[in-house]
Amino acid sequence: MAKRLVRTVILGLVGVVALAVVGPNVLAWWLSRGQVHSSVAATPSSDVTIVFGAGLDQNGRPGRYLTARLSLAADLYEAGKTRVLLLSGATASNYDEPKAMRRYLVETRGIPSERIVLDEHGDDTYSTCVRAKKVFGVDHAIVVTQSYHLTRTVATCQQAGIEVQGLGDTSVGTASGTWRFGVVREWGATMKMARDFTMGRDPVLGAHDPAVEEALAKK
């Protein structure tokens, strides 16, 4: 009897753990189905494109992964697929992702600065999506990131109340150790996404920021 009880408890715990790991990832897949794209041409148009931070190099310039995201966003703008780029990233002492992102787009790709809006409290995917909705009033958008991160990104913004289409980058090389680490990391990050929404975690918010609306109003 005791052995049977122990076995039952162990199987139950295994089931709970499996559900906790697999459940959020299945949910993310379900929420993002049909909204994940691999080319600019295949991505439906939207007035706003959200670009997620991915780190700066030692010189304060966008790293390789972030540069690839910014390049895709610039391609969308140049193709007439989007009108305003919302650049979201982390800031700290001597570290400012959004400003470095804007500098790259303006100086390297010639994107007009008036078509760029900065979100300086995009500390993670959840914060960026929630702030895009609650602070900047974004209801529809394209989200740009690496393809392994795209399913969770689309699902997160969908749960935050934004109708999104996702465009994923693979140009950085899918065989690298960094890429493989990112793929594995997504399992845990997707669990965190589910916990954040379940617990109703609030990122840094504040008053409504009309910067996106003002950028869209410019001719």
Side-chain angles (χ1 to χ4, degrees):
M1 178 68 72
K3 289 182 178 180
R4 182 180 300 173
L5 178 60
V6 170
R7 185 165 59 249
T8 300
V9 171
I10 291 174
L11 289 174
L13 290 173
V14 169
V16 170
V17 171
L19 181 62
V21 173
V22 176
N25 284 275
V26 171
L27 175 63
W29 170 81
W30 177 259
L31 290 172
S32 64
R33 69 196 190 284
Q35 293 160 281
V36 171
H37 309 284
S38 59
S39 70
V40 170
T43 305
S45 300
S46 184
D47 281 343
V48 179
T49 289
I50 304 171
V51 187
F52 296 74
L56 307 178
D57 65 19
Q58 60 185 2
N59 297 311
R61 294 188 295 257
R64 191 162 60 100
Y65 278 56
L66 182 51
T67 297
R69 298 180 187 188
L70 293 167
S71 293
L72 270 184
D75 291 345
L76 285 167
Y77 181 86
E78 291 171 354
K81 292 273 186 170
T82 196
R83 297 172 56 210
V84 170
L85 306 181
L86 176 58
L87 312 181
S88 183
T91 58
S93 178
N94 299 319
Y95 185 92
D96 195 322
E97 272 189 295
K99 287 182 180 177
M101 294 161 75
R102 177 175 61 189
R103 186 162 54 248
Y104 172 85
L105 287 170
V106 172
E107 296 179 359
T108 305
R109 295 298 300 265
I111 304 299
S113 60
E114 61 268 23
R115 294 299 181 184
I116 296 173
V117 175
L118 306 186
D119 173 12
E120 297 186 338
H121 294 287
D123 298 321
D124 55 18
T125 304
Y126 176 85
S127 297
T128 294
C129 290
V130 172
R131 283 180 52 80
K133 175 67 176 182
K134 292 187 176 182
V135 175
F136 293 97
V138 176
D139 295 317
H140 300 83
I142 300 168
V143 293
V144 175
T145 183
Q146 269 68 47
S147 63
Y148 67 77
H149 177 220
L150 195 55
T151 295
R152 175 167 63 91
T153 301
V154 170
T156 302
C157 280
Q158 290 283 79
Q159 290 182 93
I162 306 173
E163 289 296 323
V164 296
Q165 300 290 331
L167 176 58
D169 168 71
T170 58
S171 69
V172 292
T174 59
S176 69
T178 301
W179 186 279
R180 289 195 295 269
F181 173 78
V183 171
V184 173
R185 180 181 177 275
E186 281 303 295
W187 286 87
T190 304
M191 293 171 62
K192 179 180 179 297
M193 173 200 74
R195 184 189 68 192
D196 285 340
F197 280 107
T198 300
M199 301 298 292
R201 176 172 74 88
D202 277 332
V204 176
L205 293 175
H208 172 66
D209 188 331
V212 169
E213 298 157 9
E214 291 170 354
L216 287 172
K218 294 175 182 177
K219 295 183 179 180

